[in-house]
């Protein structure tokens, strides 16, 4: 069964295999592995490499950084917002990542949106993005959002179909980016019940 989970060190091997599949391509929803320090906010920076993440302690530090990012008090670069990073998994297999940005900056309103996601190449076209997106829409509802902005590149037909499939209403395109407002999903499950 496909589920979204908070980052966890138990997925280290599968996560690294997925990084190899991405082969340096942009991975929306997974966060950056390297970010410069920002002394104005107290952010110490990130400096992870594919090779470094082979070390279990280093990988645990990445997991801790991703989990901490959802807390408002966590230092981050000045133009970043609190973000809940989640991993899309099936059993012990990491399939991809999906992130929920808690608020919108000017840039996110124009291009990035509240939610970003990436599915590893070997797991694409199997409905995983749609499943994860629906689950994050439930999480967004729990956090008080009635609708969220989800975007995709103008030429990304697969992502466009995923967004429209969960009820995304196209607003417009800006700088080559399609912008959709998507209603969140309210359920009767207890808050956080889907997250491990």
């Amino acid at each position: 069964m496909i589920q979204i989970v908070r980052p966890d060190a138990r997925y280290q091997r599968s996560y690294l295999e997925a990084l190899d599949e991405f082969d340096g391509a942009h991975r929306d929803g997974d966060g950056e592995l390297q970010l410069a320090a920002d002394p104005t906010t107290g952010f110490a920076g990130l400096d992870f490499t594919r090779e470094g993440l082979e070390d279990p302690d280093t990988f645990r530090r990445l997991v801790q950084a991703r989990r901490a990012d959802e807390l408002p008090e966590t230092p981050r670069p000045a133009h970043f917002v609190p973000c809940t990073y989640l991993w899309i998994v099936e059993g012990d297999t990491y399939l991809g990542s999906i992130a929920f940005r808690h608020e919108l900056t000017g840039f996110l309103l124009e291009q990035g949106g509240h939610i970003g996601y990436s599915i590893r190449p070997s797991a694409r076209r199997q409905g995983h993005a749609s499943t994860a997106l629906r689950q994050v829409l439930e999480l967004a509802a729990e956090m008080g959002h009635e609708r969220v902005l989800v975007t995709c590149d103008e030429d990304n037909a697969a992502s466009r179909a995923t967004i429209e499939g969960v009820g995304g209403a196209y607003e417009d395109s800006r700088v080559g980016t399609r912008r959709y407002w998507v209603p969140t999903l309210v359920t009767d499950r207890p808050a956080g019940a889907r997250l491990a």
Side-chain angles (χ1 to χ4, degrees):
M1 181 175 83
I2 305 304
Q3 60 181 338
I4 55 172
V5 299
R6 286 196 164 83
D8 191 301
R10 74 182 256 203
Y11 300 102
Q12 179 182 15
R13 180 58 34 215
S14 187
Y15 180 92
L16 294 176
E17 290 168 356
L19 275 186
D20 293 340
E21 282 185 34
F22 281 112
D23 194 27
H26 176 70
R27 297 165 295 109
D28 197 10
D30 195 28
E32 300 296 331
L33 294 178
Q34 297 177 326
L35 283 172
D38 186 344
T40 66
T41 65
F43 177 66
L46 293 177
D47 190 17
F48 296 106
T49 64
R50 163 63 179 84
E51 296 74 25
L53 290 173
E54 289 279 354
D55 175 66
D57 289 335
T58 301
F59 194 81
R60 276 193 287 277
R61 284 201 322 275
L62 171 68
V63 166
Q64 290 168 351
R66 293 295 188 256
R67 285 179 164 233
D69 208 46
E70 68 184 88
L71 304 173
E73 64 270 17
T74 297
R76 60 185 46 85
H79 58 285
F80 281 46
V81 299
C83 180
T84 299
Y85 288 102
L86 300 163
W87 289 353
I88 306 163
V89 301
E90 183 172 27
D92 287 330
T93 303
Y94 169 93
L95 301 172
S97 297
I98 189 164
F100 176 68
R101 301 167 192 113
H102 300 188
E103 55 196 71
L104 296 175
T105 62
F107 171 78
L108 292 175
L109 181 61
E110 288 291 314
Q111 296 180 42
H114 284 101
I115 298 173
Y117 53 88
S118 292
I119 303 296
R120 66 191 288 177
S122 63
R124 291 178 183 161
R125 308 228 188 303
Q126 299 174 37
H128 304 321
S130 295
T131 299
L133 184 52
R134 282 187 180 90
Q135 292 176 18
V136 170
L137 291 172
E138 292 176 22
L139 177 65
E142 289 174 10
M143 296 174 74
H145 295 267
E146 294 182 10
R147 67 181 191 150
V148 294
L149 180 66
V150 185
T151 68
C152 68
D153 290 340
E154 193 71 57
D155 61 357
N156 189 338
S159 196
R160 178 179 175 176
T162 297
I163 298 166
E164 291 173 354
V166 297
Y170 175 73
E171 181 172 76
D172 61 15
S173 292
R174 302 179 188 180
V175 197
T177 301
R178 295 180 67 85
R179 300 172 66 255
Y180 292 86
W181 288 99
V182 184
T184 58
L185 300 173
V186 178
T187 70
D188 59 0
R189 275 190 286 199
R194 82 203 44 74
L195 295 178

